[in-house]
């Protein structure tokens, strides 16, 4: 096991001990041991090889033996024994926000709760709020947590299913019987999460296609097998539907199953107003209408055209104002990945990234980018090894030196992801921020502040003259952590007034600020920067997820700072400074 795996294992042991009501000193020994490993300055292998592990503060000789065993074999009998003694339901309860090992222990000991189901009925009956250390508020929070957990488990991050979709599509397209194949549904619309996958195929021989689909190696269960539709459950629990239609219906089926439902409803209404009924099978006449039916609809563009509309990209089919825009010929020319010329929010191993400046610059150059911004964490983000003024200024010098080199492959901008402290002040001194090319500000602590306080805090930080961008403005983690409470309208207003960009954090778990806000904000002239927030070179690839979010938000290249060339960016930054 490597160091981070061992740290995780020690933390797990502390939790298991706590769940069993073990002696607090013993629990603390493991928790402290994990902290001590995190803070190690000498590599763990060296300490073990030189038999010096037990001399590290926070690690006694008994613990040193266990760490060594884990390092060498990954095995520790103590862990297996503890795990066997704890009911699995208790571990599941730990996934509910606000429930740590201590509270789960109390719930188990005092009320006999040992599963999520038992937890839910206890919370619903009000018996939890009577327990010491709990109240009406925490009881309500538990119920909300259980509901969120159910909703989350039914959906998947879009990013994570891309390889699954590509695999199925290339399999389908390689079949001789398949004329056309596409992934429809929320996946095609570029939604941040998907409930299930929907594939549409045009074929004269549905039997062969269905056969291939249900017999794929990753299928764990066939839930339906028919002439026109089959459904399977894949190994990771994800469901996939396949519909096979004749080529003449393909455009209609693809459009219908791409959705969204709201978009479909609006389009059908428009068809009806023109004396046509529209369904997944095609057009039909309605009432006394005797005009000829539109014919030769063999792609979606022709379908829209028959209804007097420009071709609406799938990303915009959410039932907002896309029909109106398509009618007026004023659909936005959506940004594309190839418009991107660099990226600002990235980390190196100076804070919690994994590679150095040069590696990141090379990674950016390999994507054909002209520049890369490095924005490591600031000192208050201790868990992320944030930089203090002195370390940051050293990085500024290193970046300046890199940019001077003849073999520099990409311009590096000096930035920082500076914490917004709970009171709205910034984590680093003005004299340091002044030396940077740009400053990204971000909330990384005190997430539970009430809405007014959180809003005031962020607005105050945005008043700061050196601020260039606001990072992940709601702090959400998709399918994991709800956004914190904040008045986004007020934040957008302030960003417009102060010429501050709000990022689209392109990490597939964040995609924050959300595209729904962009639909409104872009029209008002708000600028964004699509920021991979890469902690490794390969994560620069997250940019694709951010571009998709920008497309859903109706953004053109014009609204996105990092579609500008290096010279344009430099003059923009200079202009802001003055
Ligand atoms: P998901 O799977 O929850 O992420 O979302 P979708 O949008 O992929 O929804 P899904 O898989 O239930 O259905 C695919 C598309 O089929 C949906 O976007 C629109 C269309 N559709 C499904 N049910 C209805 C309906 O009741 N009315 C209309 N007009 N369209 C529907
Ligand atoms: Ca779906
Ligand atoms: Ca479906």
């Amino acid at each position: 096991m490597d160091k981070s795996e061992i740290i995780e294992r020690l933390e797990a042991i502390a939790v298991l001990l706590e769940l069993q009501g073990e002696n607090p000193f013993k629990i603390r020994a493991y928790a402290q041991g994990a902290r001590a490993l995190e803070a190690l300055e000498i590599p763990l292998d060296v300490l073990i090889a030189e038999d010096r592990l037990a001399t590290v503060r926070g690690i006694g000789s008994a613990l040193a033996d266990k760490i060594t065993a884990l390092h060498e074999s990954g095995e520790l009998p103590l862990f297996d024994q503890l795990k066997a003694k704890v009911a699995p339901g208790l571990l599941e309860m730990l996934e509910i926000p606000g429930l740590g090992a201590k509270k789960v222990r109390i719930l188990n000991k005092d009320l006999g709760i040992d599963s999520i189901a038992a937890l839910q009925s206890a919370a619903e009956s009000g018996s939890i709020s009577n327990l010491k250390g709990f109240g009406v508020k925490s009881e309500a929070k538990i119920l909300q947590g259980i509901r969120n957990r159910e909703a989350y488990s039914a959906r998947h991050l879009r990013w994570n299913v891309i390889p699954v979709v590509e695999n199925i599509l290339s399999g389908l397209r390689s079949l001789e019987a398949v004329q056309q194949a596409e992934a429809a549904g929320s996946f095609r619309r570029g939604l941040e999460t998907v409930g299930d996958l929907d594939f549409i195929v045009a074929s004269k021989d549905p039997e062969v296609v269905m056969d291939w689909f249900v017999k794929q190696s990753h299928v764990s269960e066939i839930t339906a097998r028919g002439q026109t539709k089959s459904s399977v459950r894949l190994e990771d629990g994800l469901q996939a539907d396949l519909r096979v239609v004749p080529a003449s219906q393909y455009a209609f089926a693809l459009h219908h199953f791409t959705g969204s439902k709201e978009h479909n409803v609006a389009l059908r209404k428009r068809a009806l107003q023109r004396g046509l009924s529209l369904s997944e099978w095609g057009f039909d006449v309605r009432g006394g209408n005797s005009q000829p039916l539109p014919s030769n609809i063999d792609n979606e563009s022709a379908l829209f055209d028959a209804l007097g509309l420009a071709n609406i990209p799938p990303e915009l089919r959410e039932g907002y104002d896309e029909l109106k825009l398509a009618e007026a010929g004023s659909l936005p020319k959506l940004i594309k990945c190839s418009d991107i010329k660099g990226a600002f929010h990235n980390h190196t191993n100076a804070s919690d990234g994994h590679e150095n400046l040069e590696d990141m610059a090379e990674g950016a150059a390999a994507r054909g980018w002209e520049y890369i911004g490095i924005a490591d964490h600031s000192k208050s983000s201790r868990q992320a090894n944030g930089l203090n003024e002195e370390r940051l200024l050293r990085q500024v010098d290193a970046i300046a030196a890199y940019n001077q080199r003849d073999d520099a492959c990409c311009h590096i901008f000096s930035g920082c992801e500076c914490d917004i402290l709970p009171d709205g002040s910034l984590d680093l001194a003005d004299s340091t921020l002044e030396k940077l090319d740009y400053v990204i500000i971000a909330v990384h602590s005190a997430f539970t502040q009430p809405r007014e306080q959180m809003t005031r805090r962020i607005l105050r930080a945005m008043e700061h003259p050196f601020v260039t961008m606001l990072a992940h403005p709601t702090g959400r983690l998709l399918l994991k952590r709800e956004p914190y409470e904040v008045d986004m309208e007020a934040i957008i207003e302030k960003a417009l007034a102060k010429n501050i960009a709000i990022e689209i954090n392109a990490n597939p778990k964040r995609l924050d600020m959300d595209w729904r806000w962009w639909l409104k904000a872009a029209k008002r002239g708000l600028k964004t920067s699509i920021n991979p927030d890469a902690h490794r070179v390969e994560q620069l690839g997250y940019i694709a997820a951010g571009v998709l979010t920008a497309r859903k938000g109706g953004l053109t290249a014009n609204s996105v700072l990092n579609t500008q060339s290096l010279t344009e960016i430099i003059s923009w930054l200079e202009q802001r400074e003055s």
Side-chain angles (χ1 to χ4, degrees):
M1 275 187 175
D2 68 18
K3 190 172 94 173
S4 58
E5 289 169 320
I6 298 174
I7 291 170
E8 243 173 63
R9 190 50 60 90
L10 296 182
E11 284 166 347
I13 292 174
V15 166
L16 289 168
L17 289 169
E18 181 120 49
L19 286 174
Q20 287 172 51
E22 270 281 359
N23 157 357
F25 292 105
K26 201 164 161 187
I27 299 167
R28 208 170 305 143
Y30 285 93
Q32 263 172 5
R35 293 293 78 74
L37 281 188
E38 260 172 3
L40 279 189
E41 276 168 12
I42 303 167
L44 181 60
D45 335 28
V46 174
L47 288 173
I48 289 178
E50 295 176 0
D51 203 13
R52 290 199 286 144
L53 191 54
T55 66
V56 173
R57 227 176 121 211
I59 301 180
S61 64
L63 191 58
D65 289 344
K66 295 192 176 91
I67 292 172
T68 307
L70 283 170
H71 183 63
E72 276 159 12
S73 68
E75 308 261 332
L76 191 63
L78 169 76
F79 175 73
D80 301 326
Q81 290 155 13
L82 283 170
K83 199 138 185 232
K85 273 199 267 177
V86 170
L90 295 185
L91 298 176
E92 274 176 23
M93 284 162 67
L94 291 170
E95 291 165 19
I96 307 288
L99 288 189
K102 201 173 272 161
K103 290 202 163 159
V104 170
R105 164 81 183 154
I106 297 173
L107 290 165
N108 181 238
K109 194 163 62 87
D110 295 1
L111 298 176
I113 296 171
D114 62 357
S115 68
I116 298 270
L119 181 68
Q120 181 166 9
S121 48
E124 278 164 355
S125 73
S127 52
I128 291 178
S129 53
N130 296 326
L131 281 181
K132 193 164 169 268
F134 293 81
V136 181
K137 250 187 170 165
S138 51
E139 192 170 63
K141 196 172 165 207
I142 288 172
L143 279 175
Q144 187 60 49
I146 294 173
R147 276 194 293 273
N148 285 346
R149 189 172 175 274
E150 279 166 10
Y152 294 167
S153 68
R155 298 192 71 81
H156 304 255
L157 282 187
R158 182 186 189 280
W159 182 262
N160 292 345
V161 307
I162 292 175
V164 181
V165 169
E166 284 178 348
N167 192 22
I168 294 180
L169 270 184
S170 68
L172 286 169
R173 287 174 181 157
S174 70
L175 299 178
E176 211 161 309
V178 170
Q179 296 162 296
Q180 291 189 79
E182 197 54 79
S186 50
F187 183 86
R188 181 159 181 248
R189 298 201 310 281
L191 214 55
E192 56 279 356
T193 64
V194 300
D196 68 2
L197 302 179
D198 306 275
F199 293 92
I200 310 296
V201 162
S203 172
K204 290 181 195 147
D205 194 354
E207 196 63 27
V208 176
V209 185
M210 293 299 180
D211 246 6
W212 178 87
F213 188 69
V214 300
K215 285 183 185 154
Q216 295 171 83
S217 60
H218 296 292
V219 167
S220 65
E221 189 191 348
I222 302 170
T223 41
R225 167 76 163 84
Q227 269 296 310
T228 56
K229 183 190 167 185
S230 292
S231 294
V232 296
R233 200 164 280 285
L234 303 170
E235 270 161 5
D236 53 2
L238 181 64
Q239 174 165 315
D241 298 341
L242 168 67
R243 287 171 175 91
V244 184
V245 298
S248 60
Q249 281 171 17
Y250 181 73
F252 293 94
L254 178 60
H255 175 270
H256 174 84
F257 291 107
T258 295
S260 66
K261 194 170 159 183
E262 292 73 16
H263 167 87
N264 288 352
V265 168
L267 198 67
R268 283 179 181 199
K269 197 167 139 210
R270 184 179 175 89
L272 285 179
Q273 286 161 354
R274 307 186 146 223
L276 291 168
S277 89
L278 169 66
S279 74
E280 59 263 51
W281 321 118
F283 282 124
D284 209 342
V285 281
R286 183 74 177 193
N289 183 5
S290 58
Q291 71 189 27
L293 282 181
S295 58
N296 292 331
I297 308 288
D298 52 12
N299 57 56
E300 285 181 328
S301 179
L303 197 167
F304 284 119
D305 190 52
L307 295 171
L309 298 172
N311 191 9
I312 303 173
E315 293 92 332
L316 295 182
R317 300 184 199 163
E318 293 290 350
Y320 291 100
D321 60 354
E322 68 269 18
L323 260 52
K324 225 167 69 198
L325 295 174
E327 178 171 45
S330 47
L331 285 167
K333 187 168 179 287
L334 300 181
I335 180 182
K336 302 183 304 293
C337 270
S338 54
D339 294 327
I340 297 290
K341 300 210 173 70
F344 286 101
H345 180 173
N346 302 292
H347 297 270
T348 69
N349 53 10
S351 67
D352 60 348
H354 293 264
E355 280 132 329
N356 63 27
L357 288 173
E358 282 172 47
D359 298 332
M360 295 303 282
E362 275 168 27
R367 299 189 162 268
W369 292 352
E370 299 175 23
Y371 53 89
I372 180 162
I374 297 300
D376 272 315
H377 287 283
S378 62
K379 63 191 178 199
S380 284
S381 279
R382 252 173 242 114
Q383 75 294 342
N385 189 24
L387 278 61
N388 60 16
E389 282 81 356
E390 190 195 328
R391 289 173 64 209
L392 183 55
L393 290 176
R394 252 186 280 146
Q395 188 184 58
V396 170
D397 290 342
I399 289 175
Y402 178 87
N403 286 333
Q404 291 296 318
R405 274 167 45 176
D406 292 334
D407 63 342
C409 57
C410 185
H411 183 84
I412 306 182
F413 284 112
S414 285
C416 160
E417 181 179 10
C418 184
D419 273 20
I420 301 175
L421 301 179
D423 67 354
S425 59
L426 297 187
D427 192 23
L428 294 170
D430 280 5
S431 54
T432 306
L433 295 178
E434 200 182 353
K435 302 261 168 38
L436 302 173
D437 294 322
Y438 66 100
V439 176
I440 309 179
I441 53 170
V443 168
H444 287 121
S445 61
F447 292 120
T448 55
Q449 287 181 342
R451 182 178 161 100
E452 289 70 34
Q453 194 181 354
M454 182 62 91
T455 306
R456 236 182 300 124
R457 168 188 187 182
I458 298 176
L459 292 179
R460 180 177 166 209
M462 291 171 81
E463 287 290 342
H464 207 285
F466 297 124
V467 173
T468 326
M469 298 176 195
L470 173 65
H472 43 68
T474 75
R476 75 174 179 190
L477 293 177
L478 291 164
L479 305 182
K480 196 163 172 191
R481 183 171 80 203
E482 291 295 299
Y484 42 70
E485 296 284 340
V486 69
D487 180 353
M488 277 308 301
E489 303 266 12
I491 306 264
I492 290 170
E493 202 68 51
K494 178 70 76 185
L496 283 163
K498 289 275 166 188
N499 194 16
I500 290 173
I502 296 187
E503 82 171 7
I504 291 178
N505 189 296
N507 183 317
K509 294 185 190 137
R510 292 190 182 267
L511 303 178
D512 183 14
M513 181 164 90
D514 189 278
W515 58 269
R516 296 159 186 87
W517 284 109
W518 282 111
L519 281 177
K520 298 179 228 168
K523 293 194 186 93
R524 304 177 56 198
L526 185 66
K527 296 277 189 250
T528 192
S529 167
I530 302 179
N531 289 346
D533 198 355
H535 287 69
R536 301 177 183 277
V537 169
E538 65 176 35
Q539 290 176 354
L540 292 172
Y542 287 167
I543 200 86
V547 168
L548 196 53
T549 296
R551 289 173 63 87
K552 282 200 80 62
L555 297 188
T556 65
N558 255 338
S559 299
V560 182
L561 290 175
N562 50 326
T563 61
Q564 296 185 17
S565 67
L566 177 58
T567 23
E568 287 168 326
I569 291 288
I570 289 172
S571 68
W572 182 74
L573 289 172
E574 274 168 5
Q575 185 194 320
R576 277 190 104 259
E577 221 167 284
S578 56

